Amino acid sequence: MQDSPPACPLLVGIDVGGTKTHLRALAGGDLVTDHVRASAGWRPHEPAAAAGWLAALVRDALPAGARPRALAVGAHACETPRQGAGIGAAVSALLDVPAQVVGDAELLVPAAGLDQGVGLVAGTGSVAVGRLPDGTAVQVGGWGAVLGDEGGAAGLVREAARAVWAAHDRGERPDLLALGLLDSLGVPEVPALGAALEGAGDLSAEWGRHAPAVFAAADDGSPLARTVIAEAGEALAALVTRLAARGVLVDDVVVAGGTVLAQPTLYEAFTTALARTLPGARARALRVPPVQGAIALARGLV
């Protein structure tokens, strides 16, 4: 926390991720606060609790006596405009400032300095968002580790396990992908992978931790691992294709997320599939913190 409030009105942006939250505050273009903490306690499906969590974060992170001029939040698991509007209205009432709350993927396009386009996240999970020409937000994907999140870390591990099981059922000996998963999960044989995965408490986070084993196996030459990664790239491209089919402008696709940006093989698989299905779309890897998109949205509230 800073010792004294700034002289200029504050714009506050917050990126609430699945693991960590990033708050940034600017006054007259000058950085006042850049604060990162764990996202523990974030409950986006309870508007009052979510608003209280955000208000407490703002009060704790800003200088004593400072009051935001506007607040914008991109939030993990904020899945519908109605959900975001409910949290936004509640936090606006608590802090007595204009506030906007959207899904975290909606920060990517403004963070890239664009007015329109698609935001695609592939971190632990995966989701894509865009807007129709009339401004209506559209989100696809993001359905969690059990049913979706293809191309995210957890989805990759799920599909890798499925590929390993299929090979086992065909009577094949465990390849490098199978051996890598067995080692990562600490189990002795392929049939034991199921119990190890199903016993996880937080499926997305705990499955996602084993994604490096998939990429390592691909680097070492596993055909199974390479197929899993190629199909993950195609699945990410399919999210953009679904948005285009619904009328979203997809000329620019801003890509973020610790999995896709940290793994060149996955990013290349995605861009290759995107070029094949939507030749006019341009992928842009986001190289600035998504919280900059929240600042841009806050500026639009003033």
Side-chain angles (χ1 to χ4, degrees):
M1 181 181 294
Q2 309 238 343
D3 293 331
S4 60
C8 298
L10 284 174
L11 298 179
V12 178
I14 304 175
D15 173 22
V16 184
T19 302
K20 67 179 181 179
T21 291
H22 188 179
L23 179 148
R24 179 169 289 180
L26 300 181
D30 295 326
L31 181 66
V32 173
T33 301
D34 199 60
H35 178 84
V36 178
R37 65 164 56 174
S39 297
W42 173 244
R43 302 201 300 274
H45 297 287
E46 301 175 30
W53 191 91
L54 290 169
L57 171 63
V58 169
R59 292 172 180 140
D60 183 57
L62 294 185
R67 178 179 178 275
R69 175 74 178 275
L71 169 68
V73 181
H76 170 72
C78 188
E79 295 159 344
T80 68
R82 177 182 294 179
Q83 183 184 3
I87 299 171
V91 75
S92 179
L94 287 174
L95 295 175
D96 191 26
V97 296
Q100 180 180 8
V101 178
V102 297
D104 55 353
E106 290 199 54
L107 300 183
L108 306 188
V109 170
L114 300 173
D115 294 325
Q116 62 187 27
V118 170
L120 173 70
V121 177
T124 301
S126 63
V127 67
V129 299
R131 290 187 178 271
L132 300 175
D134 66 2
T136 302
V138 181
Q139 173 176 311
V140 296
W143 300 116
V146 174
L147 300 176
D149 283 352
E150 294 86 352
L156 276 159
V157 171
R158 181 192 66 231
E159 296 308 308
R162 289 170 58 87
V164 166
W165 285 324
H168 178 79
D169 286 347
R170 292 192 297 268
E172 299 173 11
R173 296 183 62 183
D175 85 331
L176 290 170
L177 177 59
L179 296 174
L181 288 179
L182 293 177
D183 181 64
S184 185
L185 284 153
V187 294
E189 55 184 350
V190 168
L193 287 172
L197 291 171
E198 291 172 359
D202 181 343
L203 292 184
S204 291
E206 293 184 36
W207 288 6
R209 284 196 210 102
H210 303 288
V214 181
F215 293 104
D219 290 342
D220 288 340
S222 165
L224 280 183
R226 291 176 176 175
T227 297
V228 168
I229 293 168
E231 291 176 350
E234 292 172 359
L236 292 175
L239 295 178
V240 183
T241 302
R242 286 176 210 156
L243 289 175
R246 293 179 62 177
V248 171
L249 301 171
V250 299
D251 290 348
D252 292 289
V253 182
V254 183
V255 184
T259 300
V260 69
L261 294 188
Q263 298 292 345
T265 54
L266 177 58
Y267 188 80
E268 182 179 356
F270 160 67
T271 55
T272 299
L274 184 68
R276 184 173 63 251
T277 57
L278 291 171
R282 297 181 296 271
R284 299 168 173 253
L286 186 66
R287 300 302 182 187
V288 299
V291 73
Q292 289 191 196
I295 290 290
L297 294 180
R299 187 172 290 115
L301 298 175
V302 174

